[in-house]
Amino acid sequence: ALHMTFALLVSRVVDLEQQGRDPVQLRQALEALLDRYPLCFGYWKRRAELELAAADEPAAVAVYERAVVPCAYSVEMWTLYCAHAARHWADEPERVRGLFERALQYVGSDYAADGIWDKYIAYESAVAEAAAADMGRVSALYARVLALPLRLHDVYWARFAEFAATRTASELLAAESEAALASFLTRQGAHPVTTEEMRGEDEGARKLRVYALLEARYHFYVAFHAPRRALEEPIRRRYYHVAPLPAAELAAWRRLLSWGAAQPTGHVCDPLEPMAEVLPSFTYERCLLPGASVRSLWKEYALFLEGKGAVEDARGVLARASGVFFRDCAPMLLYHAQFEEAHGGLDAARALCAATCALPPPAIDAYLAAANLERRAGNTDGMRAAFAAAVDALRGEPLAALVRHAAAVERKLCGDHARGVALIESAIAREPANELLWDAALECATSAVVPAAAGAGDSPAYQAAAALLERMIAADSPLPPPARRRAAARHRRDSRSPGWPRRGAPAQTRAAAAAAAPPCPRPAVRSAA
């Protein structure tokens, strides 16, 4: 069904694009697609280009700003947005830099983030060349990227070595950063050996010293990130796709998540790149791009955050899951409702239960969850309203199971046996041929019966049970013949039990019981030899 929905929405977009129809219709089609599948970065780009085609660049920016909310950890989405900024904000370099820096906060340390780092480096190089300025900003970007666990880590070092050959020491590393970097490497046990040629403050000595510090830092991060890069390397799908995530890919992501959650953080304080350590929450967010349709990943992420005391963050994760990717999934909605109830969000839990009850087809679990939520909250009226709504919505075996449970709750917890009987009767009125409902009514009636004793047959419970059986086998009973025969057999069996009411059955009831009873087999007559 998920594939069919996606295919239909995409087909609608493609048809409108090919036919060159009214852009309003195309805009509506793209909005419908992105509402259901908000991680499809390519369609966000199409949506922004639709605004650019109308010469409305601010509207295109608004589209990109909407896109980076659900796609906050998508390298591709930020790369598209930053490319738009570099192309259309040529006269506002600080605005472009601000966008790049926003992007790097989310995706800069992603294993596959080389695309956005390349664009940022290319942008700063072009700005510096146009202004005939030094390349200090470019060098700073190289220093930052070389502290991260990117797949092209070694390639970036080769590029930087080539870049550094024609740059001054001050372009490679500011004087105020040199001491901080040396102190950092000393703490990590990675400070390079200082040779005689490096002593002094002339350009040649300082460049040798700075380059040695940067090279030592590069080798430190090669070793530091090696375990993570080994786990990242087998992962191929890092983007959202409507097709399920292959089992091998999911297993690879789980290995990375387990490893990351066990690693200590906060002991690498790099003066040139504060995000050198990848937080476990970042790994979870990146995993949820290709794994958005894996319900267990959302639950594990919420549990991880909850265990860290980040309840609001966990709430946000579940809100994204139940509000976007699993809006039609009753188990996910109910899991979110349980979380909200556990953390005092009773109104939110009620809303989630109501949304679950509204899903087609009606499910008994949804109504039981709503009723039990109200019961735990001490709202008896709300519980009864949920049971009544279930009677209106359910049919067949689920309806019988629900009213049986509801009657037990009324009897055992509320002390109101009559209300349970009335609920079952209302269900029988809606579906009179449902034998399971009559069985639930008999169970409810006999649950109030005391052990057999003299005079027990005169109790209201015995009388109610006998009356139910008589209704089931009466000539005008709505039950089908097989059910009436089973009821007649039970009636005969129970009428012989001690304590069963000894009253004369009406003539029409005796006749109905006889008619409902299976015919007695006649002995075979042998023919004379």
Side-chain angles (χ1 to χ4, degrees):
L2 192 65
H3 287 267
M4 183 62 70
T5 302
F6 182 75
L8 289 173
L9 290 169
V10 170
S11 176
R12 173 67 173 161
V13 170
V14 171
D15 288 346
L16 289 170
E17 286 179 335
Q18 293 177 345
Q19 295 169 11
R21 293 279 182 91
D22 182 359
V24 173
Q25 294 182 12
L26 179 55
R27 187 179 288 112
Q28 292 172 348
L30 284 166
E31 288 291 339
L33 173 62
L34 292 168
D35 175 68
R36 188 67 182 83
Y37 303 96
L39 298 181
C40 294
F41 60 87
Y43 287 96
W44 281 111
K45 182 176 185 292
R46 293 192 192 186
R47 180 69 181 81
E49 289 176 342
L50 188 61
E51 301 301 337
L52 285 176
D56 193 347
E57 197 273 335
V61 172
V63 170
Y64 278 119
E65 285 293 331
R66 287 173 53 207
V68 295
V69 174
C71 301
Y73 291 86
S74 168
V75 175
E76 294 84 359
M77 190 70 258
W78 281 108
T79 303
L80 290 171
Y81 190 8
C82 289
H84 170 91
R87 187 165 56 252
H88 291 276
W89 306 346
D91 298 333
E92 302 175 272
E94 289 305 319
R95 185 184 179 193
V96 176
R97 289 185 183 114
L99 183 63
F100 270 114
E101 291 298 331
R102 273 179 64 198
L104 295 180
Q105 288 178 5
Y106 291 100
V107 301
S109 59
D110 192 290
Y111 181 74
D114 46 275
I116 195 164
W117 281 104
D118 286 348
K119 285 197 176 295
Y120 199 2
I121 291 170
Y123 175 78
E124 289 293 3
S125 298
V127 170
E129 289 173 0
D134 67 42
M135 291 286 184
R137 288 184 182 274
V138 177
S139 183
L141 290 178
Y142 273 118
R144 291 170 63 185
V145 77
L146 287 169
L148 301 172
L150 272 61
R151 62 185 172 188
L152 299 185
H153 190 248
D154 297 338
V155 173
Y156 279 113
W157 173 253
R159 291 181 190 173
F160 175 72
E162 183 180 353
F163 168 84
T166 59
R167 301 299 160 192
T168 64
S170 59
E171 285 181 295
L172 296 181
L173 187 65
E176 60 270 17
S177 299
E178 182 182 343
L181 179 56
S183 175
F184 166 74
L185 292 173
T186 299
R187 290 195 306 272
Q188 302 298 334
H191 196 287
V193 176
T194 303
T195 64
E196 188 63 31
E197 292 83 0
M198 298 178 187
R199 303 183 190 280
E201 293 302 319
D202 60 279
E203 175 63 21
R206 185 166 184 271
K207 185 171 180 178
L208 287 173
R209 190 168 63 246
V210 165
Y211 188 85
L213 288 173
L214 292 171
E215 186 176 23
R217 176 174 175 268
Y218 159 70
H219 288 297
F220 166 75
Y221 280 116
V222 167
F224 180 78
H225 289 310
R228 182 179 191 92
R229 292 178 65 194
L231 292 168
E232 293 263 20
E233 196 279 331
I235 298 173
R236 294 293 177 265
R237 193 199 288 186
R238 298 174 178 274
Y239 52 88
Y240 173 77
H241 196 285
V242 68
L245 188 63
E249 290 279 304
L250 180 57
W253 274 111
R254 288 194 185 281
R255 287 192 294 271
L256 178 60
L257 289 169
S258 298
W259 176 86
Q263 301 307 303
T265 56
H267 67 286
V268 176
C269 300
D270 191 304
L272 306 184
E273 175 49 56
M275 295 180 65
E277 290 180 290
V278 181
L279 299 178
S281 59
F282 280 47
T283 308
Y284 268 108
E285 289 287 354
R286 291 161 189 172
C287 176
L288 286 174
L289 289 172
S293 61
V294 182
R295 193 165 69 233
S296 60
L297 285 176
W298 292 91
K299 294 181 180 180
E300 290 168 20
Y301 186 21
L303 286 171
F304 170 79
L305 293 172
E306 188 180 15
K308 297 289 185 181
V311 174
E312 287 304 314
D313 290 339
R315 177 175 280 120
V317 167
L318 291 177
R320 283 156 52 198
S322 63
V324 179
F325 304 101
F326 297 97
R327 64 179 72 173
D328 300 327
C329 177
M332 192 70 218
L333 293 173
L334 294 180
Y335 182 85
H336 188 188
Q338 292 172 2
F339 175 91
E340 293 291 353
E341 181 187 5
H343 293 283
L346 193 57
D347 289 340
R350 284 189 176 114
L352 287 161
C353 285
T356 311
C357 292
L359 293 177
I364 183 174
D365 289 347
Y367 289 97
L368 286 176
N372 288 332
L373 172 68
E374 300 299 348
R375 175 181 57 78
R376 289 189 294 269
N379 182 7
T380 304
D381 290 340
M383 177 193 72
R384 288 169 174 162
F387 284 142
V391 169
D392 291 338
L394 299 176
R395 293 291 181 272
E397 185 176 351
L399 175 59
L402 182 127
V403 295
R404 180 180 282 109
H405 172 80
V409 170
E410 290 288 0
R411 183 178 69 256
K412 297 176 181 178
L413 301 182
C414 302
D416 195 340
H417 178 73
R419 191 179 289 271
V421 172
L423 185 68
I424 296 177
E425 287 292 341
S426 68
I428 290 175
R430 292 187 62 85
E431 203 170 3
N434 186 341
E435 183 183 6
L436 295 173
L437 287 176
W438 291 90
D439 289 343
L442 282 170
E443 179 182 316
C444 181
T446 56
S447 64
V449 172
V450 297
D458 296 328
S459 70
Y462 267 112
Q463 300 289 344
L468 272 171
L469 280 172
E470 290 173 0
R471 286 169 58 194
M472 293 172 73
I473 64 176
D476 58 351
S477 170
L479 290 170
R484 293 172 60 191
R485 286 195 290 271
R486 286 189 289 271
R490 180 170 181 174
H491 187 277
R492 290 194 303 274
R493 183 181 67 249
D494 289 348
S495 64
R496 294 191 292 269
S497 301
W500 194 258
R502 302 300 180 185
R503 60 180 187 181
Q508 63 269 29
T509 302
R510 292 196 301 272
C520 295
R522 294 184 178 182
V525 179
R526 293 184 179 181
S527 59

